[in-house]
């Protein structure tokens, strides 16, 4: 999947990432690749948080998650890299709902 992802990632790529049982290592790796990978992760994290909050679907447990404060620091840096307001807002939503991941 990593070699095939393309814009717009909202046409199924981030959903596929969520369904791939991603790990923290995947999140870190993808956000260090190209913009399309980073955006996929942003949308995937937001979708994961939304699904878990809705309780209508039970997303997998993300393996190897860092501490909550390390995750927040990571997200703050990710948010700072974003140019588009929509992406900034998605990352902010994940930060505001960080407890859902733990």
């Amino acid at each position: 999947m990593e070699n095939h992802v393309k814009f717009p990632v909202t046409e199924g790529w981030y959903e596929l990432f969520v369904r791939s049982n991603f790990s923290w290592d995947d999140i870190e790796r993808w956000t260090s690749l190209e913009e399309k990978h980073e955006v996929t992760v942003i949308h995937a994290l937001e979708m994961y948080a939304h699904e878990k909050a809705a309780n209508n679907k039970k997303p997998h447990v993300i393996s190897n998650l860092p501490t909550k404060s390390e995750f927040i620091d990571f997200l703050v840096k990710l948010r700072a890299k974003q140019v588009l307001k929509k992406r900034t807002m998605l990352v902010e939503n994940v930060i505001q709902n960080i407890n859902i991941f733990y």
Side-chain angles (χ1 to χ4, degrees):
M1 180 178 132
E2 187 176 300
N3 295 328
H4 301 287
V5 68
K6 61 183 178 180
F7 282 115
V9 301
T10 53
E11 290 186 358
W13 291 107
Y14 74 95
E15 293 151 330
L16 189 57
F17 187 85
V18 170
R19 304 292 177 245
S20 72
N21 293 326
F22 64 96
S23 68
W24 176 251
D25 295 332
D26 295 324
I27 293 169
E28 286 187 307
R29 188 179 74 252
W30 275 57
T31 55
S32 69
L33 297 172
E34 297 176 55
E35 180 184 12
K36 61 188 176 185
H37 297 94
E38 185 175 272
V39 176
T40 300
V41 169
I42 291 169
H43 282 277
L45 289 173
E46 206 277 330
M47 178 183 172
Y48 179 91
H50 177 75
E51 284 186 352
K52 200 160 181 185
N55 281 331
N56 59 0
K57 296 182 181 178
K58 299 195 187 301
H60 76 285
V61 174
I62 302 170
S63 62
N64 301 323
L65 268 181
T67 65
K68 194 181 298 185
S69 64
E70 290 172 328
F71 194 6
I72 291 170
D73 288 345
F74 172 86
L75 291 169
V76 167
K77 290 175 186 168
L78 183 62
R79 181 184 62 197
K81 290 171 47 179
Q82 302 312 304
V83 177
L84 298 178
K85 185 175 183 175
K86 178 174 175 141
R87 291 182 197 162
T88 302
M89 290 172 46
L90 290 173
V91 176
E92 184 59 35
N93 185 45
V94 173
I95 292 170
Q96 295 302 315
N97 292 290
I98 196 72
N99 289 332
I100 286 174
F101 291 85
Y102 293 91

